[in-house]
């Protein structure tokens, strides 16, 4: 055989050998004779689920870290107090009311100060009074001292409203006694915790019931979620307290009380019968989260060192 033919034959044989040694074409990554490649699809789905779960966990951890709770709803707290450095908001009060103005500042929580029966009575009072009005926005108030009641986008006097309708059995003498007893208990607790004579501490205005829902705000009075300082909003305030009359995550969603500190925020989760209290200056800047579902009831009870700004126990028409 001529040399050229032998060389060509060897090249063809080598080429054929290389072709035979190649891997067969891979199967389709899209379909098999029976449809999708379920094994690969399931692996991808599981991977996505793991990634999403990890992201959710991270976000929850970050949220929890950014918003630690001073009092969770499931806690049963006899007393829990957190000291704070006093702000400069009390300079004038310290000059005028040396014994009473805050020198020891902070915030506290008590779950056993108000009895269940007392809290139930006050919730009934709040619901009864608020049933004659109600804001068209998400926040309604009832002030038994002045008679102010939210109605639509304004306020009416509940006592005048009831008188005009000839109604005399909304509130009872027992309601008055419980209202006075609870406010006195809270005044005494604040007196002890902040080391001020209880005889120098006076109930002041506004002291009121509140009802919050997820209705869109209609007026500025509905926008309770803005950061604020009670001493700036109400100059007479020296000590603020709240009695919660509904349960976070059971009666409503959102609506936690949030303290705004220089480095982070801290929450108090409302619990039926829980009392929170704090000095009213900028060391306790705060707001309430928007209620996203349900109804949040609470009572704000305020105290001043200025006797001229004191208010008396409300007088109600009785049955």
């Amino acid at each position: 055989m001529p040399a050229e033919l032998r060389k060509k034959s060897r090249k063809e044989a080598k080429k054929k050998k290389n072709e035979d040694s190649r891997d067969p074409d891979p199967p389709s990554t899209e379909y098999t004779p029976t449809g999708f490649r379920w094994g690969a699809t399931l692996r991808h789905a599981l991977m996505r689920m793991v990634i999403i779960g990890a992201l959710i966990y991270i976000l929850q951890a970050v949220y929890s870290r950014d918003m630690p709770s001073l009092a969770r709803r499931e806690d049963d707290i006899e007393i829990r107090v957190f000291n704070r450095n006093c702000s400069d908001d009390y300079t004038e009060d310290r000059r005028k009311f040396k014994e009473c103005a805050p020198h020891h500042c902070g915030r506290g929580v008590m779950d056993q100060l108000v009895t269940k029966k007392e809290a139930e009575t006050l919730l009934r009072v709040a619901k009864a009074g608020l049933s004659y009005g109600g804001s068209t926005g998400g926040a309604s108030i009832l002030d038994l001292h002045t008679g102010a009641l939210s109605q639509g986008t304004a306020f009416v006097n509940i006592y005048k409203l009831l008188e005009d309708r000839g109604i005399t059995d909304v509130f009872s003498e027992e309601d008055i006694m419980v209202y006075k007893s609870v406010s006195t208990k809270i005044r005494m607790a604040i007196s002890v915790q902040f080391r001020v004579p209880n005889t120098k501490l006076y109930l002041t205005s506004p002291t009121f019931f509140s009802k919050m829902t997820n209705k869109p705000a209609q007026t500025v009075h509905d926008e309770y979620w803005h950061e604020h300082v009670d001493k700036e909003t109400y100059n007479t305030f020296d000590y603020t307290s709240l009695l919660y009359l509904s349960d976070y995550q059971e009666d409503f969603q959102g609506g936690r009380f949030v303290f705004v500190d220089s480095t982070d925020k801290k929450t108090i989760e409302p619990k039926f019968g829980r009392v929170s209290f704090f000095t009213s200056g900028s060391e306790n800047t705060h707001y309430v989260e928007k209620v996203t579902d349900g109804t949040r009831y609470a009572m704000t009870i305020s105290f001043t060192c200025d006797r001229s700004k004191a208010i008396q126990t409300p007088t109600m028409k009785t049955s």
Side-chain angles (χ1 to χ4, degrees), residues 86-87 89-94 96-97 100-106 190 194 196 200-202 204-205 230-232 234-241 277-284 301-307 309:
C86 291
S87 62
D89 301 332
Y90 309 106
T91 302
E92 186 68 14
D93 280 1
R94 286 172 181 167
K96 292 180 178 178
F97 316 110
C100 173
H103 289 273
H104 306 278
C105 294
I190 287 174
F194 295 119
V196 297
K200 301 291 185 180
L201 201 57
Y202 307 97
T204 193
S205 182
D230 285 350
K231 187 68 175 168
E232 294 176 0
Y234 309 104
N235 184 255
T236 57
F237 276 34
D238 289 296
Y239 304 91
T240 306
S241 69
F277 55 90
F278 51 93
T279 46
S280 304
S282 52
E283 71 278 359
N284 283 312
I301 307 166
S302 336
F303 297 94
T304 184
C305 297
D306 186 348
R307 186 174 183 176
K309 302 299 181 182

Side-chain angles (χ1 to χ4, degrees), residues 2-241:
E4 279 189 326
L5 290 176
R6 286 198 302 270
K7 187 175 180 181
K8 184 177 180 181
S9 179
R10 283 196 300 270
K11 285 184 177 179
E12 289 176 350
K14 185 176 180 181
K15 182 179 179 182
K16 187 175 186 305
K17 182 179 180 181
N18 288 338
E19 289 175 348
D20 291 340
S21 65
R22 291 177 185 168
D23 290 333
D25 291 338
S28 168
T29 57
E30 299 293 330
Y31 296 94
T32 67
T34 57
F36 288 104
R37 298 186 64 206
W38 294 110
T41 303
L42 182 59
R43 284 197 300 273
H44 294 157
L46 289 172
M47 287 177 65
R48 285 194 294 270
M49 290 173 64
V50 169
I51 292 170
I52 292 171
L55 287 172
I56 291 173
Y57 177 82
I58 292 169
L59 288 172
Q60 288 177 335
V62 169
Y63 185 80
S64 177
R65 185 175 69 247
D66 288 346
M67 298 275 280
S69 182
L70 301 179
R72 299 191 181 280
R73 192 196 71 179
E74 60 268 23
D75 295 343
D76 186 14
I77 302 168
E78 182 176 358
I79 183 164
R80 186 177 291 171
V81 177
F82 305 86
N83 295 323
R84 301 282 297 166
N85 292 326
C86 291
S87 62
D88 297 327
D89 301 332
Y90 309 106
T91 302
E92 186 68 14
D93 280 1
R94 286 172 181 167
R95 186 179 64 80
K96 292 180 178 178
F97 316 110
K98 186 176 180 180
E99 290 182 274
C100 173
H103 289 273
H104 306 278
C105 294
R107 55 189 67 149
V109 178
M110 300 178 77
D111 286 343
Q112 299 168 18
L113 182 63
V114 175
T115 68
K116 182 180 179 182
K117 184 177 180 180
E118 288 172 330
E120 288 173 343
T121 297
L122 293 176
L123 177 60
R124 179 176 51 77
V125 169
K127 287 183 174 180
L130 286 162
S131 70
Y132 288 92
S135 168
T136 51
S140 301
I141 69 106
L142 169 65
D143 184 335
L144 294 180
H145 298 271
T146 65
L149 171 67
S150 299
Q151 191 174 83
T153 58
F155 297 92
V156 297
N157 187 300
I158 188 170
Y159 300 123
K160 179 68 165 59
L161 183 152
L162 295 177
E163 182 181 5
D164 290 346
R165 297 183 185 182
I167 300 171
T168 60
D169 60 352
V170 176
F171 309 117
S172 69
E173 187 64 35
E174 180 188 359
D175 297 336
I176 299 173
M177 292 174 62
V178 171
Y179 190 99
K180 182 177 181 179
S181 174
V182 168
S183 62
T184 300
K185 281 184 179 183
I186 295 174
R187 177 171 60 85
M188 296 295 287
I190 287 174
S191 168
V192 170
Q193 295 308 317
F194 295 119
R195 308 175 211 175
V196 297
N198 72 81
T199 55
K200 301 291 185 180
L201 201 57
Y202 307 97
L203 191 67
T204 193
S205 182
T207 285
F208 58 92
F209 293 103
S210 61
K211 174 185 177 181
M212 297 178 180
T213 69
N214 64 353
K215 289 182 180 178
Q218 301 298 314
T219 72
V220 293
H221 299 295
D222 297 319
E223 298 179 8
Y224 54 82
W225 53 82
H226 298 300
E227 292 180 14
H228 65 278
V229 175
D230 285 350
K231 187 68 175 168
E232 294 176 0
T233 306
Y234 309 104
N235 184 255
T236 57
F237 276 34
D238 289 296
Y239 304 91
T240 306
S241 69

Side-chain angles (χ1 to χ4, degrees), residues 262-273:
S262 57
T263 57
D264 62 3
K265 298 179 180 181
K266 299 179 179 69
T267 68
I268 290 179
E269 297 178 358
K271 173 182 178 178
F272 187 76

